[in-house]
Amino acid sequence: MIFRLLITGNRGFIGTNFTEFALSEGHFIVGYDALYKEANLDIDFESPNYYFFCGNITNKTSEILNILIKYKITHCLHLAAQSNVDKSINTIEPFIFDNIVGTYRVLEACLEYQRKNPDFKLINYSTDECMGSLGEEESPWTEESPINPNNLYASSKASAALLGLSFYRTHKLNVITTYSCNLFGRYQKDKLIPTIIKKVLAKEPVGIFGKG
Protein backbone atom coordinates (compact mmCIF):
# COMPACT_ATOMS: atom_id res chain seq x y z
CA MET A 1 0.00 0.00 0.00
CA ILE A 2 1.28 3.46 -0.95
CA PHE A 3 0.83 6.17 1.69
CA ARG A 4 0.53 9.91 1.15
CA LEU A 5 2.49 11.36 4.07
CA LEU A 6 2.82 14.81 5.55
CA ILE A 7 6.01 14.90 7.63
CA THR A 8 6.50 17.88 9.94
CA GLY A 9 10.15 18.51 10.76
CA ASN A 10 11.23 16.44 7.77
CA ARG A 11 14.58 18.25 7.52
CA GLY A 12 15.66 17.23 10.99
CA PHE A 13 17.79 14.19 11.78
CA ILE A 14 14.95 11.68 12.07
CA GLY A 15 12.83 13.36 9.40
CA THR A 16 15.61 13.32 6.83
CA ASN A 17 16.26 9.62 7.33
CA PHE A 18 12.57 8.74 7.27
CA THR A 19 11.91 10.84 4.16
CA GLU A 20 14.72 9.03 2.32
CA PHE A 21 13.35 5.65 3.40
CA ALA A 22 9.72 6.43 2.58
CA LEU A 23 10.59 7.76 -0.88
CA SER A 24 12.67 4.65 -1.56
CA GLU A 25 9.59 2.57 -0.75
CA GLY A 26 7.50 4.51 -3.27
CA HIS A 27 5.44 6.60 -0.86
CA PHE A 28 4.31 10.18 -1.60
CA ILE A 29 5.84 12.74 0.77
CA VAL A 30 5.06 16.35 1.62
CA GLY A 31 7.74 17.83 3.89
CA TYR A 32 7.02 20.75 6.23
CA ASP A 33 9.88 22.33 8.16
CA ALA A 34 10.84 25.70 9.67
CA LEU A 35 14.47 25.16 8.57
CA TYR A 36 16.15 26.06 11.85
CA LYS A 37 19.95 25.96 11.92
CA GLU A 38 19.91 22.22 12.71
CA ALA A 39 18.08 21.46 9.45
CA ASN A 40 19.75 19.27 6.84
CA LEU A 41 19.80 21.62 3.87
CA ASP A 42 22.37 19.74 1.78
CA ILE A 43 20.11 16.74 1.13
CA ASP A 44 18.30 16.86 -2.20
CA PHE A 45 15.27 14.58 -2.31
CA GLU A 46 15.04 14.25 -6.07
CA SER A 47 11.69 12.59 -6.62
CA PRO A 48 8.43 13.41 -8.40
CA ASN A 49 6.75 12.10 -5.23
CA TYR A 50 8.25 14.81 -3.00
CA TYR A 51 7.03 18.33 -2.23
CA PHE A 52 8.34 20.72 0.41
CA PHE A 53 6.91 23.70 2.29
CA CYS A 54 8.93 25.97 4.57
CA GLY A 55 6.74 26.89 7.52
CA ASN A 56 6.41 26.78 11.28
CA ILE A 57 3.89 24.49 12.97
CA THR A 58 2.92 27.40 15.25
CA ASN A 59 1.43 29.19 12.21
CA LYS A 60 -2.31 29.22 11.62
CA THR A 61 -3.98 25.83 11.69
CA SER A 62 -5.31 26.49 8.18
CA GLU A 63 -1.80 26.32 6.72
CA ILE A 64 -1.36 22.65 7.63
CA LEU A 65 -5.02 21.89 6.90
CA ASN A 66 -4.69 23.24 3.38
CA ILE A 67 -1.72 20.94 2.74
CA LEU A 68 -3.64 17.93 4.07
CA ILE A 69 -6.54 18.71 1.75
CA LYS A 70 -4.56 19.66 -1.35
CA TYR A 71 -2.37 16.56 -1.35
CA LYS A 72 -4.99 14.10 -0.05
CA ILE A 73 -2.76 13.04 2.85
CA THR A 74 -3.43 9.62 4.40
CA HIS A 75 -0.97 9.89 7.32
CA CYS A 76 0.76 12.72 9.16
CA LEU A 77 4.05 11.99 10.93
CA HIS A 78 4.56 14.82 13.43
CA LEU A 79 8.30 15.09 14.13
CA ALA A 80 8.79 18.86 14.34
CA ALA A 81 10.04 19.88 17.79
CA GLN A 82 12.64 21.67 19.84
CA SER A 83 14.77 18.84 21.22
CA ASN A 84 17.90 20.18 22.93
CA VAL A 85 17.59 19.49 26.66
CA ASP A 86 20.43 21.84 27.61
CA LYS A 87 18.91 24.77 25.70
CA SER A 88 15.56 24.27 27.41
CA ILE A 89 17.13 24.99 30.81
CA ASN A 90 17.76 28.65 30.04
CA THR A 91 15.47 29.34 27.07
CA ILE A 92 12.21 27.49 27.61
CA GLU A 93 9.96 29.76 25.51
CA PRO A 94 10.77 28.21 22.09
CA PHE A 95 9.96 24.79 23.57
CA ILE A 96 6.60 26.03 24.82
CA PHE A 97 5.70 27.49 21.43
CA ASP A 98 7.02 24.74 19.12
CA ASN A 99 6.41 21.64 21.20
CA ILE A 100 3.11 22.58 22.84
CA VAL A 101 1.44 25.29 20.75
CA GLY A 102 2.80 23.81 17.53
CA THR A 103 1.50 20.35 18.38
CA TYR A 104 -1.88 21.85 19.22
CA ARG A 105 -2.00 23.43 15.74
CA VAL A 106 -1.18 20.07 14.14
CA LEU A 107 -3.83 18.30 16.22
CA GLU A 108 -6.47 20.89 15.30
CA ALA A 109 -5.67 20.66 11.60
CA CYS A 110 -5.69 16.86 11.63
CA LEU A 111 -8.98 16.73 13.53
CA GLU A 112 -10.67 19.02 11.01
CA TYR A 113 -9.25 16.97 8.13
CA GLN A 114 -10.30 13.64 9.70
CA ARG A 115 -13.94 14.74 9.80
CA LYS A 116 -14.11 14.24 6.02
CA ASN A 117 -11.35 11.61 5.86
CA PRO A 118 -12.13 9.08 8.63
CA ASP A 119 -9.28 6.69 7.72
CA PHE A 120 -6.64 9.40 8.23
CA LYS A 121 -4.05 8.79 10.98
CA LEU A 122 -1.66 11.03 12.92
CA ILE A 123 1.57 9.68 14.45
CA ASN A 124 2.84 12.00 17.19
CA TYR A 125 6.53 11.37 17.84
CA SER A 126 7.53 11.87 21.48
CA THR A 127 10.32 10.82 23.85
CA ASP A 128 10.90 8.39 26.70
CA GLU A 129 12.01 11.40 28.75
CA CYS A 130 8.32 12.05 29.38
CA MET A 131 8.55 9.16 31.87
CA GLY A 132 11.57 10.59 33.70
CA SER A 133 14.48 8.31 34.53
CA LEU A 134 14.96 4.70 35.61
CA GLY A 135 17.11 3.35 38.42
CA GLU A 136 19.33 0.33 37.82
CA GLU A 137 16.92 -2.01 39.62
CA GLU A 138 13.70 -0.63 38.14
CA SER A 139 11.68 -2.42 35.48
CA PRO A 140 11.52 -1.01 31.93
CA TRP A 141 8.70 1.38 31.10
CA THR A 142 5.49 0.15 29.52
CA GLU A 143 2.53 1.90 27.88
CA GLU A 144 0.98 2.11 31.36
CA SER A 145 3.98 3.95 32.91
CA PRO A 146 3.06 7.36 34.37
CA ILE A 147 4.19 10.66 32.84
CA ASN A 148 6.92 11.99 35.14
CA PRO A 149 9.27 14.43 33.32
CA ASN A 150 12.51 15.58 34.97
CA ASN A 151 13.40 18.62 32.83
CA LEU A 152 11.75 21.44 30.91
CA TYR A 153 12.21 19.83 27.50
CA ALA A 154 10.57 16.64 28.72
CA SER A 155 7.72 18.64 30.26
CA SER A 156 7.01 20.33 26.94
CA LYS A 157 6.95 16.98 25.13
CA ALA A 158 4.80 15.44 27.87
CA SER A 159 2.34 18.31 27.48
CA ALA A 160 2.18 17.65 23.73
CA ALA A 161 1.62 13.93 24.34
CA LEU A 162 -1.20 14.63 26.80
CA LEU A 163 -2.81 16.99 24.31
CA GLY A 164 -2.78 14.14 21.80
CA LEU A 165 -4.35 11.78 24.34
CA SER A 166 -7.06 14.33 25.12
CA PHE A 167 -7.83 14.86 21.41
CA TYR A 168 -8.21 11.09 21.11
CA ARG A 169 -10.47 10.75 24.15
CA THR A 170 -12.52 13.89 23.54
CA HIS A 171 -12.74 14.06 19.74
CA LYS A 172 -11.81 10.51 18.69
CA LEU A 173 -8.85 11.77 16.66
CA ASN A 174 -6.90 8.86 15.16
CA VAL A 175 -3.61 9.73 16.88
CA ILE A 176 -0.84 7.42 18.05
CA THR A 177 1.96 8.76 20.25
CA THR A 178 5.32 6.98 20.32
CA TYR A 179 7.92 7.35 23.09
CA SER A 180 11.34 6.47 21.68
CA CYS A 181 14.70 6.24 23.42
CA ASN A 182 17.78 8.07 22.12
CA LEU A 183 18.58 7.57 18.45
CA PHE A 184 21.74 8.14 16.44
CA GLY A 185 22.72 7.88 12.80
CA ARG A 186 23.27 9.76 9.57
CA TYR A 187 22.50 13.48 9.40
CA GLN A 188 22.55 13.94 13.19
CA LYS A 189 24.10 17.15 14.50
CA ASP A 190 25.08 18.59 17.89
CA LYS A 191 24.29 15.45 19.92
CA LEU A 192 26.56 13.29 22.08
CA ILE A 193 27.68 10.61 19.62
CA PRO A 194 28.37 12.85 16.56
CA THR A 195 30.06 15.42 18.82
CA ILE A 196 32.44 12.82 20.27
CA ILE A 197 33.20 11.33 16.83
CA LYS A 198 34.01 14.78 15.41
CA LYS A 199 36.34 15.53 18.32
CA VAL A 200 38.14 12.20 17.99
CA LEU A 201 38.60 12.69 14.24
CA ALA A 202 39.90 16.22 14.85
CA LYS A 203 42.20 14.89 17.63
CA GLU A 204 40.57 17.25 20.14
CA PRO A 205 39.97 16.46 23.84
CA VAL A 206 36.67 14.75 24.60
CA GLY A 207 34.96 16.26 27.63
CA ILE A 208 33.69 14.09 30.46
CA PHE A 209 30.18 14.91 31.65
CA GLY A 210 29.27 14.20 35.25
CA LYS A 211 30.90 10.92 36.30
CA GLY A 212 31.39 9.80 32.70
Side-chain angles (χ1 to χ4, degrees):
M1 178 180 292
I2 300 300
F3 298 143
R4 300 179 67 85
L5 292 146
L6 168 61
I7 305 177
T8 69
N10 90 297
R11 286 289 182 168
F13 153 55
I14 298 173
T16 301
N17 279 284
F18 188 84
T19 298
E20 277 194 339
F21 168 76
L23 288 173
S24 73
E25 294 290 309
H27 300 295
F28 179 88
I29 305 294
V30 178
Y32 187 88
D33 199 294
L35 298 181
Y36 292 154
K37 72 178 184 69
E38 297 88 354
N40 291 302
L41 301 178
D42 53 344
I43 308 300
D44 188 9
F45 300 116
E46 293 185 2
S47 172
N49 289 333
Y50 177 74
Y51 291 82
F52 177 78
F53 291 88
C54 180
N56 194 301
I57 54 173
T58 60
N59 293 346
K60 293 181 179 179
T61 298
S62 59
E63 188 168 295
I64 295 174
L65 178 59
N66 289 339
I67 293 173
L68 292 169
I69 295 171
K70 179 177 180 179
Y71 293 97
K72 299 180 174 60
I73 299 299
T74 61
H75 297 74
C76 175
L77 177 58
H78 177 39
L79 300 174
Q82 297 278 351
S83 62
N84 191 304
V85 176
D86 292 339
K87 288 181 180 178
S88 73
I89 295 172
N90 297 314
T91 54
I92 183 59
E93 190 169 280
F95 292 77
I96 299 297
F97 278 101
D98 287 354
N99 296 357
I100 301 177
V101 177
T103 297
Y104 163 71
R105 301 280 190 226
V106 172
L107 290 166
E108 278 282 290
C110 290
L111 177 61
E112 183 64 26
Y113 182 70
Q114 183 187 283
R115 289 187 173 121
K116 294 184 178 179
N117 301 272
D119 294 329
F120 168 82
K121 291 181 174 60
L122 166 64
I123 299 91
N124 180 33
Y125 185 85
S126 193
T127 170
D128 66 325
E129 291 208 34
C130 292
M131 283 73 153
S133 56
L134 282 174
E136 292 184 5
E137 303 301 323
E138 293 183 272
S139 300
W141 290 308
T142 69
E143 292 184 356
E144 285 73 39
S145 297
I147 298 294
N148 187 32
N150 286 332
N151 56 65
L152 296 172
Y153 156 69
S155 293
S156 70
K157 292 294 287 182
S159 298
L162 290 173
L163 278 174
L165 178 61
S166 295
F167 266 73
Y168 165 72
R169 289 178 172 172
T170 305
H171 300 297
K172 306 305 178 187
L173 176 64
N174 295 329
V175 55
I176 299 170
T177 297
T178 65
Y179 298 93
S180 77
C181 295
N182 289 339
L183 305 175
F184 65 94
R186 291 186 306 163
Y187 311 130
Q188 191 176 34
K189 302 176 182 179
D190 302 329
K191 298 294 184 179
L192 177 64
I193 291 177
T195 297
I196 289 176
I197 290 174
K198 287 176 183 177
K199 286 184 175 294
V200 170
L201 291 175
K203 298 182 179 180
E204 297 176 355
V206 177
I208 303 298
F209 296 90
K211 296 181 180 179

